[in-house]
Amino acid sequence: MQYKTKFYFVCTNKLEVELLEQCGVRNVLISYAFADRVADKNGFGWIRDKFDSIFVDSGAHTAYTKGKEVDFNEYSNFLRKERENYDVAAQLDIIGDIYRTKDNYIRHVNEGTDWVIPILSGNWKKALILMENHLVTDYLGLGGSQYWKKYTKDSWNVVRDMPNKYKYHGFAKGNFYAFKYGWLYS
């Protein structure tokens, strides 16, 4: 399946929100790891009308690089509280652990944050097999950049070989061909 790729620009603080708006950016991604630097006393409401689409990421990669973990309950509460102020949210994934990532996705579905997009962590094909019976969306995230480096010589072959019945978000991934041929939805 081919899409016109939707680009999300990352903003990590209020100044970047303002700069991206001034530059005409229409879609932004905000990591939960930086939510306190982007939100004001009323949360994300102040940026809702500045962009066409706001994507909230769990901040798992940032936490991973700092040797920490994101608290599932805190993240889920944040997603519920801010629901009207964003369009897309990523589940809380566990970098490199497809089983705990799958368990977290099921937990999101069971505990009322079922609108999150599931993240395929580690070996994406294996992760998809593990998660497929639990999916409530056709929009999936391709996470865990170590997979691209560790398991493949040509990671774009992996993207091209994924089932085309799904839309994929490539976390911090992209190249000319991925966008030209619509291999990634976002």
Side-chain angles (χ1 to χ4, degrees), residues 54-127:
I54 298 171
F55 190 129
V56 175
D57 179 41
S58 70
H61 184 266
T62 301
Y64 176 79
T65 61
K66 294 180 178 182
K68 300 179 180 180
E69 283 194 23
V70 177
D71 181 272
F72 182 91
N73 292 323
E74 288 177 13
Y75 180 58
S76 291
N77 290 336
F78 171 82
L79 293 177
R80 284 194 254 325
K81 178 181 159 228
E82 292 290 338
R83 182 65 183 117
E84 66 185 30
N85 295 320
Y86 64 87
D87 305 288
V88 180
Q91 75 151 105
L92 175 56
D93 58 319
I94 307 298
I95 305 297
D97 190 329
I98 61 177
Y99 299 102
R100 287 180 60 208
T101 296
K102 175 194 63 108
D103 292 344
N104 273 355
Y105 178 70
I106 293 168
R107 191 171 168 195
H108 275 292
V109 171
N110 291 338
E111 294 184 15
T113 50
D114 60 347
W115 59 82
V116 297
I117 67 168
I119 307 302
L120 304 180
S121 183
N123 181 321
W124 300 328
K125 290 181 181 182
K126 184 176 179 180

Side-chain angles (χ1 to χ4, degrees), residues 1-159:
M1 200 172 299
Q2 194 170 356
Y3 301 98
K4 182 175 180 180
T5 304
K6 181 185 279 190
F7 295 94
Y8 283 93
F9 290 80
V10 174
C11 51
T12 62
N13 60 50
K14 291 175 186 171
L15 176 61
E16 288 177 359
V17 168
E18 298 295 338
L19 289 172
L20 291 172
E21 180 190 25
Q22 289 174 18
C23 290
V25 167
R26 299 310 321 143
N27 309 302
V28 294
L29 184 143
I30 302 169
S31 171
Y32 176 64
F34 302 111
D36 60 332
R37 293 172 25 187
V38 174
D40 67 8
K41 64 181 177 174
N42 297 315
F44 283 177
W46 73 278
I47 63 172
R48 174 68 268 176
D49 295 330
K50 296 179 182 294
F51 302 101
D52 292 343
S53 184
I54 298 171
F55 190 129
V56 175
D57 179 41
S58 70
H61 184 266
T62 301
Y64 176 79
T65 61
K66 294 180 178 182
K68 300 179 180 180
E69 283 194 23
V70 177
D71 181 272
F72 182 91
N73 292 323
E74 288 177 13
Y75 180 58
S76 291
N77 290 336
F78 171 82
L79 293 177
R80 284 194 254 325
K81 178 181 159 228
E82 292 290 338
R83 182 65 183 117
E84 66 185 30
N85 295 320
Y86 64 87
D87 305 288
V88 180
Q91 75 151 105
L92 175 56
D93 58 319
I94 307 298
I95 305 297
D97 190 329
I98 61 177
Y99 299 102
R100 287 180 60 208
T101 296
K102 175 194 63 108
D103 292 344
N104 273 355
Y105 178 70
I106 293 168
R107 191 171 168 195
H108 275 292
V109 171
N110 291 338
E111 294 184 15
T113 50
D114 60 347
W115 59 82
V116 297
I117 67 168
I119 307 302
L120 304 180
S121 183
N123 181 321
W124 300 328
K125 290 181 181 182
K126 184 176 179 180
L128 181 56
I129 290 167
L130 288 172
M131 292 182 100
E132 203 153 25
N133 289 334
H134 308 285
L135 297 177
V136 297
T137 180
D138 66 349
Y139 190 14
L140 312 175
L142 301 176
S145 60
Q146 74 270 17
Y147 179 67
W148 287 58
K149 297 171 188 164
K150 184 175 179 181
Y151 297 105
T152 71
K153 291 184 180 173
D154 179 1
S155 51
W156 291 106
N157 278 337
V158 177
V159 174

